[in-house]
Amino acid sequence: MKPPFSALSSNTYRALALVGLCILMVLVFIADTVTNYAIAAAVFHTPLLLIAIRFLSARLVIALTGISMALTVVSVLLTRSGDYDVGLINTGISLVAIAVTAYLGLKLKSVQAAAHETREHLLRLSRLTTLGQLSTSIAHEVSQPLAAINSSAGACQRWLEASPPNIEKAQAAAQRIVYDAQRAKDVLDRVRSITRNEAPASSAFDLNLALTELLSLSSGEMQHHHIDLRLALQTDLPPVYADRVQIQQVMANLLLNAIEALSPPSSSHAACISIETSFLPGDKPQTGKVLFSIKDNGPGLSGTQLSELFNTFWTTKPTGLGLGLTISRTIIDANNGHIWATHQTDGGAAFHFTLPLAP
């Protein structure tokens, strides 16, 4: 059932409120004029003005305030009973009360309007910031497969232009282009699903196999930077239950960070990246899960950096966006895992994440 005044337009509602207030003011005027009690009956104009401030514009409130004060003065002139001096005092009290009530009420309404406008402005800024973060996130995630496509396309062209053409390697480069194009599409599909608050497309899969596929695509990048890759993958690792595409994206982010941490190479030691997978037996929160760890022997992380790493837009890279680790943490959390970073005692940084076992 609709409220009694829900069908009225705002203008009609204000008009009815104005008429009602005028009638009540007249009644106050009559009571103030005809009664012979030595009371300031005109102060009852103040609650009427407070009601007017709630529903009417500032201009109408000022007009009603003027009418109230005029009625109060006319009332004391028309009153024939009571003490004249007391009537003058009561009239003065009523006029001051009416004027102060109207002033404070309008001031409060002005402050409330300014606060409302500020909230609306902050809301618009928040929406723009969210849109900017989403756009930056898409650009960050898609930039990796697009860069890989560009690199593979250049390699494919060089193999075809060689004399004689190396068809086998050109076909391999073309396959990498197809794979990375599909990866870019999967990234966009994932971002779209995140904006729709959809749950990850979880399934059981072999984490070692997913890692091996990713490393086959990154081998050229590591060879280019003369990085030694060491793997310690548990052979009988049980399958994990997560979104395979999302987890591969996290591993790609961590591997890219490790490669960038080793660039430029150190003159004191050879660049090295170690990747381990293992099963953590037990029933504690971070046990009974599969553990993935990636370590590099780069400059490492300070205590401050460890505490800030996963914050949005925080980065140590001159051209970084500060989104890769934030996105990685969001993905791992959404897949019921946990991600963290540590500093290695012998130098370098290490990143770890856990994933639940397949049921």
Side-chain angles (χ1 to χ4, degrees):
M1 182 177 179
K2 294 182 178 180
F5 299 103
S6 60
L8 299 178
S9 66
S10 57
N11 290 334
T12 305
Y13 190 78
R14 290 192 186 94
L16 290 175
L18 181 60
V19 172
L21 288 170
C22 289
I23 293 173
L24 291 174
M25 284 182 175
V26 171
L27 293 177
V28 171
F29 168 74
I30 294 173
D32 191 29
T33 305
V34 301
T35 57
N36 57 0
Y37 301 109
I39 57 173
V43 294
F44 289 108
H45 283 293
T46 56
L48 301 181
L49 290 176
L50 291 176
I51 296 174
I53 291 169
R54 175 69 177 81
F55 296 102
L56 303 179
S57 66
R59 181 177 298 178
L60 285 175
V61 171
I62 293 173
L64 288 177
T65 302
I67 293 173
S68 297
M69 297 178 76
L71 290 175
T72 301
V73 174
V74 172
S75 175
V76 73
L77 295 176
L78 295 178
T79 299
R80 294 291 180 258
S81 60
D83 186 273
Y84 181 74
D85 293 335
V86 173
L88 286 179
I89 294 172
N90 288 343
T91 300
I93 293 173
S94 298
L95 292 175
V96 170
I98 291 171
V100 170
T101 300
Y103 173 76
L104 294 179
L106 290 174
K107 196 72 176 177
L108 177 62
K109 189 172 185 178
S110 174
V111 171
Q112 289 175 338
H116 177 73
E117 185 178 353
T118 302
R119 284 196 299 271
E120 290 295 317
H121 181 64
L122 290 175
L123 183 59
R124 288 195 296 272
L125 287 178
S126 176
R127 288 169 178 166
L128 289 174
T129 302
T130 302
L131 181 61
Q133 289 177 344
L134 180 60
S135 302
T136 308
S137 172
I138 293 173
H140 178 274
E141 294 296 278
V142 176
S143 64
Q144 294 179 19
L146 289 181
I149 289 172
N150 183 57
S151 176
S152 298
C156 182
Q157 188 176 21
R158 288 193 299 274
W159 291 124
L160 290 176
E161 291 176 350
S163 180
N166 191 327
I167 301 300
E168 183 179 353
K169 290 190 175 181
Q171 287 178 335
Q175 288 176 353
R176 291 198 298 272
I177 292 173
V178 173
Y179 178 87
D180 285 316
Q182 180 61 43
R183 191 154 63 101
K185 178 181 179 302
D186 291 341
V187 168
L188 292 176
D189 289 342
R190 178 167 55 79
V191 173
R192 190 181 296 115
S193 68
I194 290 174
T195 58
R196 293 174 180 170
N197 292 325
E198 296 177 354
S202 299
S203 62
F205 67 92
D206 186 336
L207 186 65
N208 286 344
L209 181 59
L211 172 64
T212 304
E213 290 179 0
L214 177 67
L215 292 176
S216 66
L217 299 170
S218 306
S219 58
E221 187 72 13
M222 284 187 281
Q223 290 174 2
H224 176 73
H225 290 86
H226 306 289
I227 296 174
D228 180 23
L229 177 64
R230 300 175 184 176
L231 298 178
L233 310 182
Q234 185 173 325
T235 54
D236 57 346
L237 195 69
V240 298
Y241 189 73
D243 188 312
R244 194 175 193 275
V245 174
Q246 292 185 355
I247 299 307
Q248 278 191 316
Q249 187 62 30
V250 172
M251 291 191 293
N253 283 340
L254 298 180
L255 181 60
L256 180 62
N257 284 347
I259 293 174
E260 291 180 347
L262 296 171
S263 302
S266 171
S267 58
S268 60
H269 59 269
C272 177
I273 293 177
S274 302
I275 300 178
E276 301 175 10
T277 59
S278 60
F279 171 61
L280 300 176
D283 55 2
K284 294 181 180 178
Q286 292 310 321
T287 57
K289 296 182 177 181
V290 170
L291 171 66
F292 173 93
S293 296
I294 180 169
K295 306 172 184 176
D296 64 72
N297 60 346
L301 300 167
S302 67
T304 303
Q305 291 172 330
L306 281 174
S307 63
E308 300 283 350
L309 272 177
F310 294 95
N311 292 340
T312 306
F313 297 130
W314 190 93
T315 180
T316 58
K317 306 172 188 175
T319 59
L321 297 176
L323 283 174
L325 290 177
T326 303
I327 294 171
S328 297
R329 183 177 60 180
T330 302
I331 290 174
I332 294 299
D333 289 346
N335 285 276
N336 299 315
H338 179 63
I339 186 171
W340 71 99
T342 58
H343 179 76
Q344 300 196 85
T345 54
D346 55 347
F351 288 85
H352 321 269
F353 67 78
T354 58
L355 289 174
L357 300 178

